[in-house]
Structure formats: C-alpha cells, structure tokens
Amino acid sequence: MNSKVKLKEVYEVQTQYKAFYTGGTVAWTPDGQQFLCLNNGTISIVSVDNQQEPATLGEVQTDEEINEDVIYTFAIAATGNSVVSAHRSGLLKLWDREARQQLKMWKAIHQGPIATLVFSPDDSLVASGGSDTTIRVWDPSRQLCLGTLRGCTGVVNLIVFHPDAESKTVVAAGDDERIHAWNYETRERTKTFAGHFSRVTGVSFSTDRRFLVSSGRDKILILWNYETQEAIKTIPVYEALETVTVLPAGVTVGGCKLSSDNGVYAACGGEEGIIKVWEMTETKIVYKQSNSLVTRATEEGGLSITHLIYSNTLGQMAIVSADHNLLVHDCASFECVRQLAGFSDEILDIVLLGKNDRYLAMATNSNDFKIYDTTTMNCQLVKGHTDIVLSLSANQRYLVSSSKDNSIRLWQFDEEQFTIKCLAVGLKHTSAVGSVAISGSSAPFCASVSQDRCLKTWKIPKRFEQGTDTEELPRIQCNLTQLAHEKDINCVCIAPNDRLLATASQDKTAKLWDVSDLSVVGVLRGHRRGIWAVRFSPVDQILLTNAADCSIKLWSLTDMSCLKTLEGHDSSVLRVEFISGGMQLLSAGADGLLKLWSIKSSECLETMDKHDSRIWALCVTRDESTFFSGGSDSQLIKWHDVTDAKREQAMNARKEVLLQEQELNNLLSEKKLLKALRLSLNLDRPLSTLKIVNEVIKSQETGLEETIRKLSNDHKETLLRHAIEWNTNSKNARPAQLVLHTLLQEVLAGRFQVSELNKHLEASLPYTERHFKRLTEYMKDLKFVEYSLRCMQPHASRTE
C-alpha cells in the first residue's frame, strides 16, 4: 500500500490570509460591493462577496515604508470614485479607488495628526479635523484650504456636512460635550448644541433636515431642533453609544415598517452589542435586535459596536464590532447576510469540515470561533462559549469545541445552508478544557482533557431532543473520568480504530488509554520537557509525540519503545501531522518554521518559512494536496503540494539541456565554432567554451572579437567568469588573455556592464602577473639564444 503512495517533496504558499481590518475607519462603497478598511497604516479594499485576496490602495509597500508614512484616517466620496487619506507625514492624498492610484497630494496645515476626514454631499469639498482643535475645509481639485474653523475643544473626532450643500454648513464635535455648526464660507460659528454630559460620538441629520440626532458616551440620545438649537427629546438608553444614524422613512427594519408621518427613526449601537431603532419624537423602541453576533463589552463603558453604516442602495446595514468583524444585515428581516472577519488575532486551532474539505473552522483568541468557506473566505461567526475557544475537532457528522469556560460543545454543520447549530453541551470539567478529540462516525464518542488534569470520555447520542431556542441545551453524558497526569494535559488524540486514546502532558510523559474503561495501556517516557501533542499513525502501530525539547519521537505501540527521534527544530515543536500514508511528517515550531520529514531516512526534506511567530495550528486535506497553518502572527496560510509540477519542470529543464548539448556537439563536428560559442555560454560549460576558443585560435578563424562584441550582457559575464577560471592554468593563458582583453575593451567602451568588476579583476590579476613574468623570462631566454646563434654563425662558416 505504502509503495503506491507518492511522497511529497515541495510545498509552496498558495494563499496567505492576512488581516484586512485592524481597527479605525471603515467605509462602504455606494454600490455596496466593497469595504474600505484601515489596516495597520494602509487602506485595504475587500469585496463583500469574496474575501480571498483583499487589494491595497496604492502600491504594495514594505513594512518599513508603511511605518514611515502611516495612514491615520480616510474618507470616501458619495460617488465612490474618490478617496482622501491623511498621513503621518502631514500630507493629504487624493486617490482614484477603481484604479487604486494616487491623483493628487498636498500638505495639511494641521499641527499634529488628523483624526477625521469627510467629503461634502456634492464631493466638491473635504473637511479635516485634527488634534489641534481646528477644522479645515479643502478644495481637493485645487489643493487649496478654503478656511479654518475654530471653537472645538480637544481632538476633533466628528465632522458632518449639512445634507443641503447650499447651506454651506459643517457640524463638528470635539472632546467636550458640545456640538458646533459653522458657515465654512464666512468661517463664523452659527450654532451650538449643548446638552450632553460626555463626549459626543455620533451626529445624524433627519431626512427633512429639520432635526439632528446625537449620541454620546453619557448613555443618552438627543433629538435637536436644528433651527432653534433646542433639545426636543432626551432619551436615556442605559448604554454608552458609539454611533447613530437616522434611517429614511418607509424602510422596513426587522419586519417593522417605519412610518413616514413626521417620525424620526434613529438606529444606534454601543456597549451592549445590540442595534436598537428608536422613534425619537415618541421616545419608544420600534425594533431591538435579537440575533446579535457582537459580543457585549466586558467592562462598563467598553467598546462593542464601533460603526454603523446604512446602505440606501441595498437596504442593508453594516455593523462594525470592536473585535474587527464586519457584519452586513438585511434591514427588512435583519438577518445577517454577510460576515467578514477583519482580524483573527492569535489562531489557536483549525480543522477542516465538509465532504470535500471545503470549509474550515478556526479557533482564535476569542469567545466565538469562525467557519470559513475556503473558496470565497466568506465567514460565519459561531457564538455559544463564554470564554476563549481553545480546541476544535470534527468528523463527518459533528464538530466539537472546547473552551476556557470549562465546557465542551457539540455542533452540527449544514453545508448547503452554511449554518451551524449547537446540539449539546458538556459541563463536567472544573478548569479550562485545553484539547478535545472526536471519534470516527462508527463509534460516536469524544474525549477531552483539561487543566484539572482529568481525561474524560463523552457519549454522543444518536438523536437529540429538538427543543425551542429558549430551552436549555441538552447535556452530553460523561462516560468515564480519569486523573491522567501530574501536570496540565496539552493534547488528546483518538486512534483510527477508536479503541485507544493518547494524552500528552507538561509532566514530560505521554500515556495510552483503553477507551472501554480508561485503563492505562502504557506510559511513554523519554522527552526532556513538556509534550505538546500526540498523533496516531494512520496505518502502523506507531504513536508520534512532539515536545518543547525541540524533538519528535516515534513510539511502537506493541512494546512502548522509542523507534526514532527526529531533531531539526531549534525551538519547541508545537504540532505534527502524518502524511503520505504515515511515511512522512509535517511539523510546526515555535520559531515559525514548518518542516517536511521523511520517516524512512529521518531527514528534513524541506523547511518552509512564512510565519513570523509560533505556529499553533495545522490541518491537512484528505487528499493531502493542501494543508493550512495558523499561529500567533494572525496569518492563515494555505500551502499547496507542487512536487509533481517541480519534477516535471526539472525533467523539462533536463530535456532542454540534453537537446542543447546535442546541438553543441553537432555544431562542433560541423566546425561552426562561433555559433557553438554562444550555445556553450548558454549551457555554462567552461571547458567546452575553452575548446571552442582554442579551435578558433588554431584555425586562425577571424571573427572571434566580433562575436564576443555581439553577445548579450549576461553571456559576456558568463564568458568573463570562464576566462578567469581558465586563467588559473598556465596552459590556458593565451585564450584567457585574449578573451579578457576583448571583454575589458568592451567595458571601457561602455558596451559591457559587469557586476562586481573589482572582484573579477582581483581574481585575475595575480595569475595574469605570473603569466606575464613567465613570458618575460621566456623572451629573455629566447633573445639570449638568438644572440648566441648570431655570434656562432661567423665561426660556423669558417669551419665549413
């Protein structure tokens, strides 16, 4: 069986899934097809339907270039074509979004960073608010500042243009409790709205422009009469608000149609993580979200929902959460139609789901884990646990998750609907459940290990009672419990035949257990530090362990002896998986390196270096053509097996070389020496090139210098290297010096640019001087012989 398995030799990165939103400004294009997100000092453009490869506004920059000129904030025009950004360098830049190219650039006059930017309704003007308490109005077409507006206190975080462009009004708020309005042509402050007791976080105009709605950290909403500056209604909402937007009349929200009879409907979000729609004039809630995917802030006054964007074109609302998720809801039903995970934080575990491994479940440093459709990277947030999810395991029917909340949960995933449902929960552990494993579908059970040092097995029933959403979830029955190790248990694994369990612990041991009664089958000792993971071979009676002592060990399950120790990592080995029918291994280390091993030869075949930090998670598809890796650098990387492609490429290259060698031999036999020279340089054959040059010299064939002059720069450089190599042997001094002379003439004429010329000259000078000295001695000897002969000639004639 193993003889038919094709061994892997080379894996290459197919896709790197990085963060596209790390906090800050978010904008939604008017057509609703793309989001623009602030991403570590750059602007990422991500498609709502396909998040495979987010684009970056402008040219791709290195990390150093990004750090030199970080983007603080940006704004998008109402038409969606133009984007303006504020940079650390004090510059404002205007971009074409579709072409992703910079159009204009000018110096902002703010003292310090710019906190907010906004386009006017007609896109003709841009207003910027800075940390210097001023607002500046710009004409981007002329890069001209039209005026400076003063009167705010602290950093200007909020600017809104009056929807009616003819009013020439801009409304803004700083760090104080007041909202101010200016006429930006006369630069006079025309209105002040005083009523909040803390920082104002949101301002929105009503459809008829008569009213203004504002939200604040003081847990109130205020409805203002815009003309009289009077607070008509002050509504206590009992949560710190971050955003508010007035919805147009006639819109249906969550099945409730908003009446058009003089009502002002404001949607707001804050620390509770729930969207509420208030009818401001009657101070009543007309809709309260019940299906929120946003986690409530843990502390009072903390962040939960940071932005709320309404798309009039699509009738949808985008919610941006504090943990960098973008959730698109259809307003009519308020069902979540799209979920975008902008930043995954530390990836702790990943597992593949579905018939063709199309879906991937990911546990990150969060209470919710995520499920991705790997074809489009569309995301589904899965809520249920109340603390960080640590481990995931799946078979063809179920998914099991474990968490720091001391529980495990059993889930059922529906591929067709792309939905997941929690079936039951297990609550017997007394500490964080660090690892969980589920058996094959033949024997329905799962095993879990915890920091309470206990190993537990759980029975999965064939059927679950279907209760209503309000009822408590069914409990998974705990079959057996065993105090397994002396220290924290890091991993549990179930054998392919579902008869054995293996556990790995910080006490430097791995243990084998009988599933039927959790009796100890064997104890594996030999690692010098804590063991991170264990894996059963898919075909042989072999167990694998990897530990913090930088080693991987293979153990026999028959006599518990150590068969092999693989050493090659320079730091802790965190995860290992069997591939190629148990003949090869993939290992992941704390140094961010992945290694491919051959078990037969105990050699590392390839080292893959793309991660920047610890790699916690590794999962391989069933056909082993692809594997995923994830770690504490927040990167999920998809690797693809290119062994066959590389072999074919090498074979084609070899075939090409053989053909060229045959052609070279043909040219030499036909005495087409100058044509053969070019081909010999192509093949990089110094000896063949030397023979050709010697033949040219012997046959007194002209055209060598002309041929060398016609060579390409790369060929000339190859010939220079060859000539320096010949020059080391006195037998080859003549062809070497001839070629060097011609090439140096080319350098002086400017027709040959050679890299590292000094290095080449230094290599050739000692030998050239030696050849010159030797030839000088020959010339002296020759002159002496000639002199002797001339002196002897008169005496020779007398003798005759």
Side-chain angles (χ1 to χ4, degrees):
M1 179 182 170
N2 285 348
S3 60
K4 297 179 181 178
V5 176
K6 288 186 178 180
L7 297 181
K8 312 293 186 290
E9 292 177 7
V10 185
Y11 278 99
E12 286 186 354
V13 174
Q14 185 174 345
T15 318
Q16 280 181 272
Y17 302 107
K18 295 183 179 180
F20 59 81
Y21 175 57
T22 54
T25 312
V26 177
W28 202 2
T29 55
D31 59 8
Q33 298 303 308
Q34 293 178 329
F35 280 105
L36 274 70
C37 311
L38 208 57
N39 178 20
N40 281 328
T42 61
I43 299 173
S44 292
I45 304 173
V46 59
S47 169
V48 174
D49 295 323
N50 190 334
Q51 298 114 53
Q52 280 277 23
E53 294 183 15
T56 302
L57 196 65
E59 296 179 0
V60 177
Q61 297 175 297
T62 63
D63 291 340
E64 289 181 4
E65 290 173 334
I66 292 169
N67 290 332
E68 283 177 8
D69 199 16
V70 165
I71 297 175
Y72 288 131
T73 186
F74 68 91
I76 186 169
T79 58
N81 295 328
S82 300
V83 176
V84 65
S85 57
H87 296 252
R88 175 185 282 172
S89 58
L91 296 174
L92 290 171
K93 296 182 181 179
L94 186 68
W95 306 82
D96 184 321
R97 178 181 64 87
E98 292 182 356
R100 301 204 293 273
Q101 292 181 346
Q102 182 183 315
L103 301 176
K104 295 179 181 178
M105 176 176 66
W106 67 97
K107 181 75 175 173
I109 322 166
H110 286 280
Q111 299 296 318
I114 293 174
T116 184
L117 288 166
V118 64
F119 272 92
S120 62
D122 59 0
D123 295 343
S124 62
L125 301 175
V126 173
S128 61
S131 56
D132 57 358
T133 74
T134 64
I135 300 141
R136 299 185 188 273
V137 181
W138 305 88
D139 182 346
S141 61
R142 296 182 293 166
Q143 298 101 60
L144 183 66
C145 180
L146 302 180
T148 303
L149 313 177
R150 293 181 172 85
C152 285
T153 303
V155 180
V156 181
N157 290 297
L158 183 64
I159 302 176
V160 178
F161 274 94
H162 194 286
D164 186 1
E166 294 180 1
S167 68
K168 313 289 186 186
T169 301
V170 66
V171 177
D175 285 337
D176 60 350
E177 306 87 28
R178 296 172 181 268
I179 304 166
H180 305 282
W182 290 265
N183 183 308
Y184 54 76
E185 277 197 343
T186 63
R187 281 171 277 182
E188 291 182 2
R189 187 164 55 183
T190 56
K191 299 179 189 299
T192 299
F193 303 87
H196 283 281
F197 303 102
S198 185
R199 187 168 69 84
V200 180
T201 55
V203 171
S204 183
F205 279 91
S206 63
T207 314
D208 57 9
R209 282 71 156 159
R210 291 168 50 205
F211 301 103
L212 194 69
V213 178
S214 63
S215 63
R217 304 287 294 169
D218 52 6
K219 305 185 180 183
I220 60 172
L221 276 174
I222 299 180
L223 177 68
W224 305 89
N225 183 311
Y226 179 69
E227 292 300 327
T228 63
Q229 305 162 52
E230 179 187 354
I232 300 172
K233 296 286 183 181
T234 300
I235 303 172
V237 293
Y238 306 108
E239 62 167 326
L241 297 176
E242 281 298 310
T243 179
V244 66
T245 183
V246 174
L247 301 175
V251 173
T252 302
V253 179
C256 174
K257 187 171 183 179
L258 307 183
S259 172
S260 57
D261 300 335
N262 299 322
V264 178
Y265 297 92
C268 60
E271 62 180 318
E272 286 186 9
I274 296 171
I275 300 300
K276 298 173 187 174
V277 180
W278 290 82
E279 204 296 295
M280 298 297 295
T281 56
E282 297 181 7
T283 63
K284 67 177 183 180
I285 297 177
V286 293
Y287 174 74
K288 183 177 180 179
Q289 186 184 6
S290 58
N291 60 343
S292 177
L293 293 169
V294 182
T295 306
R296 182 190 173 99
T298 52
E299 300 175 359
E300 186 177 354
L303 292 176
S304 184
I305 293 175
T306 57
H307 298 83
L308 198 59
I309 312 169
Y310 176 72
S311 171
N312 204 17
T313 311
L314 300 177
Q316 294 178 342
M317 191 178 292
I319 301 167
V320 184
S321 68
D323 50 2
H324 312 111
N325 296 319
L326 284 71
L327 312 169
V328 181
H329 289 261
D330 179 64
C331 281
S333 61
F334 224 79
E335 290 295 322
C336 187
V337 292
R338 283 286 182 275
Q339 299 178 32
L340 290 79
F343 178 62
S344 292
D345 204 0
E346 194 163 358
I347 299 172
L348 303 178
D349 202 4
I350 50 178
V351 65
L352 290 163
L353 303 168
K355 294 177 182 176
N356 299 315
D357 293 329
R358 175 177 172 178
Y359 300 94
L360 181 133
M362 180 196 296
T364 62
N365 203 14
S366 167
N367 301 356
D368 314 324
F369 65 91
K370 306 178 179 83
I371 295 181
Y372 289 93
D373 181 345
T374 56
T375 57
T376 62
M377 291 313 287
N378 284 338
C379 176
Q380 195 76 259
L381 285 174
V382 184
K383 299 183 74 65
H385 285 286
T386 56
D387 209 334
I388 293 171
V389 178
L390 296 174
S391 176
L392 299 167
S393 181
N395 61 15
Q396 293 180 356
R397 293 186 63 192
Y398 301 114
L399 170 72
V400 181
S401 62
S402 69
S403 167
K404 276 189 176 181
D405 61 8
N406 307 350
S407 73
I408 68 167
R409 283 178 178 260
L410 184 70
W411 309 82
Q412 191 169 42
F413 180 63
D414 187 341
E415 282 190 65
E416 294 180 3
Q417 302 294 327
F418 193 31
T419 56
I420 190 165
K421 178 184 178 183
C422 186
L423 299 176
V425 60
L427 299 171
K428 294 291 184 179
H429 280 290
T430 58
S431 190
V433 186
S435 180
V436 68
I438 189 167
S439 67
S441 55
S442 58
F445 76 95
C446 63
S448 63
V449 290
S450 167
Q451 287 181 2
D452 60 13
R453 297 175 292 163
C454 286
L455 164 66
K456 292 181 184 288
T457 57
W458 310 77
K459 183 179 179 182
I460 300 174
K462 292 182 178 179
R463 292 183 181 179
F464 291 91
E465 295 180 4
Q466 297 295 325
T468 62
D469 293 341
T470 55
E471 291 181 1
E472 192 175 344
L473 284 167
R475 299 291 173 86
I476 311 173
Q477 182 184 346
C478 179
N479 278 352
L480 299 164
T481 300
Q482 185 67 262
L483 187 62
H485 287 270
E486 296 173 3
K487 292 185 179 180
D488 290 358
I489 308 173
N490 291 326
C491 182
V492 63
C493 185
I494 300 174
N497 62 5
D498 296 338
R499 293 180 182 176
L500 289 175
L501 286 173
T503 55
S505 169
Q506 286 296 106
D507 62 9
K508 308 176 190 176
T509 66
K511 291 186 180 180
L512 282 169
W513 309 85
D514 190 319
V515 168
S516 60
D517 57 359
L518 285 191
S519 58
V520 178
V521 177
V523 180
L524 309 177
R525 293 185 174 89
H527 282 288
R528 300 186 303 276
R529 300 187 72 179
I531 302 174
W532 281 110
V534 283
R535 285 291 180 269
F536 285 95
S537 170
V539 291
D540 300 315
Q541 291 191 357
I542 290 174
L543 184 75
L544 175 150
T545 58
N546 55 275
D549 59 6
C550 314
S551 69
I552 303 166
K553 288 182 183 288
L554 297 169
W555 308 81
S556 168
L557 296 181
T558 53
D559 57 5
M560 306 302 158
S561 62
C562 180
L563 302 174
K564 280 195 176 185
T565 299
L566 306 179
E567 294 181 335
H569 282 278
D570 294 329
S571 59
S572 298
V573 186
L574 302 177
R575 192 74 176 263
V576 183
E577 295 289 347
F578 280 99
I579 58 169
S580 305
M583 297 174 68
Q584 289 182 294
L585 300 175
L586 276 170
S587 64
D591 52 4
L593 296 179
L594 289 157
K595 289 182 182 287
L596 175 65
W597 301 83
S598 167
I599 293 178
K600 186 177 180 180
S601 64
S602 303
E603 289 182 359
C604 175
L605 304 177
E606 185 191 9
T607 299
M608 295 156 269
D609 183 10
K610 281 293 178 183
H611 284 279
D612 301 327
S613 190
R614 293 180 297 276
I615 304 171
W616 290 115
L618 205 61
C619 67
V620 187
T621 57
R622 290 188 189 94
D623 61 3
E624 298 180 353
S625 63
T626 304
F627 76 91
F628 292 85
S629 61
S632 55
D633 59 356
S634 306
Q635 282 193 90
L636 175 70
I637 300 181
K638 184 178 183 181
W639 302 82
H640 190 62
D641 176 25
V642 293
T643 304
D644 292 340
K646 290 288 183 183
R647 283 175 184 165
E648 188 176 346
Q649 189 178 342
M651 196 179 294
N652 290 337
R654 176 68 182 154
K655 195 184 293 183
E656 185 67 26
V657 167
L658 290 172
L659 288 172
Q660 288 184 343
E661 284 179 348
Q662 184 61 49
E663 189 181 350
L664 177 62
N665 292 333
N666 294 342
L667 289 170
L668 289 173
S669 64
E670 294 170 10
K671 297 293 182 182
K672 295 180 179 177
L673 300 175
L674 297 178
K675 283 186 179 179
L677 177 63
R678 196 185 300 268
L679 192 55
S680 178
L681 292 171
N682 256 340
L683 293 168
D684 197 12
R685 300 289 169 83
L687 186 60
S688 298
T689 310
L690 176 62
K691 286 178 181 177
I692 292 166
V693 173
N694 278 329
E695 284 293 325
V696 171
I697 293 170
K698 282 180 186 177
S699 61
Q700 299 293 315
E701 189 175 337
T702 58
L704 178 62
E705 291 186 4
E706 189 64 32
T707 302
I708 291 174
R709 287 194 186 100
K710 288 180 179 177
L711 291 175
S712 68
N713 206 76
D714 290 341
H715 282 161
K716 286 178 183 176
E717 196 156 344
T718 305
L719 185 58
L720 178 62
R721 283 192 285 105
H722 289 183
I724 291 168
E725 193 174 326
W726 309 334
N727 200 39
T728 58
N729 192 329
S730 58
K731 292 178 183 179
N732 306 323
R734 187 183 177 193
Q737 290 299 318
L738 178 64
V739 169
L740 283 172
H741 173 73
T742 308
L743 288 174
L744 289 173
Q745 290 294 329
E746 289 293 289
V747 171
L748 292 171
R751 291 188 292 268
F752 178 29
Q753 285 80 37
V754 56
S755 58
E756 299 180 334
L757 180 61
N758 291 341
K759 182 180 174 183
H760 291 309
L761 290 175
E762 284 174 12
S764 63
L765 275 174
Y767 294 101
T768 303
E769 287 172 357
R770 193 182 302 170
H771 299 326
F772 181 74
K773 189 176 180 181
R774 189 182 68 252
L775 289 171
T776 304
E777 293 298 322
Y778 286 159
M779 289 299 292
K780 285 180 183 178
D781 293 345
L782 183 61
K783 292 295 182 185
F784 180 73
V785 170
E786 287 178 354
Y787 173 74
S788 300
L789 284 172
R790 280 199 299 271
C791 291
M792 291 166 66
Q793 276 177 355
H795 300 286
S797 58
R798 286 176 193 173
T799 306
E800 288 174 359

